[in-house]
Amino acid sequence: MPRTNMFVATLVLGLWAGMAYPADEERPSTPILGAEEQQAKEEGMRLYGIRWRSVAISHLEKAAEAGDVESMYYLGEIHRFMDRGMSREAIDWYHSAAQGGDPHAMLRLEWGMICELADICPEDHDSWVDMALEQELPRAEKGDPEAMSTLFDVYNMLGDPRTALDWLERAAEAGNPEAQDWLGTITQNRSGELPPKLEDVKAAEPWFRKAAEQGYAPAMYNLSLALRKQERHDEDWEWTQQSSQHGHISGRLAVGWCYLDHTWADFCPDDIEDRIKGWAILHAVYKETRNETAEGILGRHQDLLTEAEIAEAEKLAEDWLNRDPPLSYFPPKYGF
């Protein structure tokens, strides 16, 4: 199962029925990209990270056409999302990525039943998930944390959640920050209750912290939320700031809002208020990402500043635009 609580898709396979790729088709390799292609990929991934999917396509295509397998996979993701299912373009890009060795592209093809419905099948394997397993299991057994984490998705696809969780735990214990963050999320939500039980939040905190201390922005933000649920506001504020500095959009929004109006949340320090700075941060988020939450906060608080102060803030916003690392929602690779 993809790493999400919901997965809605519509198979659009009419154009693909009966089509198959030649058995001797050469699998693409992943060359070192030239400077222009690498720049295009980075811009495409930045745009993908802020959900500007359609704009990202032309940039990622430049890298994919140069043989970059990761760009092929994300082009599949973009077309699947935009087309609300496994469209012709999505299948084509996933297939190219799978042939290049991307295990999550193999899982997408397996999930979409592309072998059965469109006769696009892997060479020398019974299924796409078998191909992913054969590729990733030896790497994981040799101690590769990324492969261990991938096996979580592979074994879930195989209907073996216990083995899947075992591999996720091994990946987390081996230091993979994405696995640590995901294990924290699973631990926090294991009761199925909303809001999560406090005891589960406390049990999840160490995993979020391990990943956060490695610089993984999603874990920084998740750690701040876990601390917030425990009313540990000083630590919460510190990690919220850290997530903002590492490009997490939700963290940046929270920081900007605290500066604009510290009374909106208990974790905002009482002495933090700087309305011009807060407006500048939120205006920059909106200008860079068109984030609706930023727009809404600004709209609700516009009476707090004079026209001159707003003008000053919007000038200051230039200092908050296009920082490195870039703003992102940090969508999981194998999400919904």
Side-chain angles (χ1 to χ4, degrees), residues 38-63:
Q38 182 62 36
Q39 185 177 12
K41 178 183 178 179
E42 290 173 2
E43 178 63 6
M45 292 304 297
R46 183 189 73 81
L47 293 166
Y48 180 80
I50 60 173
R51 300 172 182 164
W52 289 18
R53 299 178 182 91
S54 62
V55 185
I57 289 175
S58 62
H59 299 280
L60 291 175
E61 282 180 342
K62 184 174 290 187

Side-chain angles (χ1 to χ4, degrees), residues 79-276:
H79 283 290
R80 179 180 59 84
F81 188 90
M82 291 176 55
D83 301 336
R84 299 181 183 275
M86 296 292 274
S87 65
R88 175 174 180 167
E89 290 82 3
I91 294 170
D92 198 12
W93 284 117
Y94 283 139
H95 187 235
S96 294
Q99 289 181 308
D102 189 296
H104 287 102
M106 300 171 196
L107 295 182
R108 288 295 190 209
L109 294 170
E110 180 73 18
W111 173 85
M113 300 176 65
I114 302 305
C115 184
E116 295 87 346
L117 297 176
D119 198 25
I120 300 174
C121 304
E123 299 177 10
D124 304 322
H125 295 86
D126 292 335
S127 66
W128 287 108
V129 68
D130 287 342
M131 182 176 176
L133 179 63
E134 183 175 309
Q135 174 180 288
E136 297 301 304
L137 184 57
R139 293 176 55 210
E141 289 175 337
K142 291 178 181 178
D144 185 328
E146 183 179 354
M148 295 176 190
S149 182
T150 299
L151 286 178
F152 171 74
D153 298 317
V154 172
Y155 277 104
N156 270 324
M157 180 65 72
L158 288 167
D160 187 352
R162 181 63 258 176
T163 302
L165 187 58
D166 286 344
W167 278 110
L168 186 69
E169 290 171 346
R170 290 175 67 174
E173 290 164 358
N176 182 278
E178 293 181 33
Q180 291 168 341
D181 183 56
W182 189 239
L183 187 57
T185 300
I186 291 173
T187 301
Q188 181 172 262
N189 298 319
R190 60 191 175 189
S191 72
E193 296 182 12
L194 290 175
K197 292 182 177 180
L198 185 59
E199 63 191 67
D200 292 338
V201 174
K202 291 180 177 179
E205 181 191 332
W207 289 116
F208 291 141
R209 190 177 295 277
K210 287 177 184 291
E213 289 175 347
Q214 293 190 68
Y216 188 55
M220 293 177 181
Y221 188 69
N222 284 334
L223 176 58
S224 74
L225 295 179
L227 294 165
R228 195 170 307 168
K229 292 181 178 75
Q230 300 174 65
E231 299 184 355
R232 293 158 61 184
H233 298 315
D234 289 346
E235 287 183 87
D236 176 4
W237 173 241
E238 289 300 319
W239 281 108
T240 300
Q241 290 183 96
Q242 285 289 324
S243 70
S244 169
Q245 291 167 13
H246 283 75
H248 200 288
I249 287 180
S250 295
R252 186 72 55 84
L253 287 170
V255 168
W257 200 350
C258 282
Y259 277 111
L260 184 62
D261 177 12
H262 76 275
T263 65
W264 83 273
D266 291 338
F267 73 91
C268 299
D270 292 338
D271 60 351
I272 198 66
E273 193 163 282
D274 182 338
R275 292 174 179 174
I276 291 175

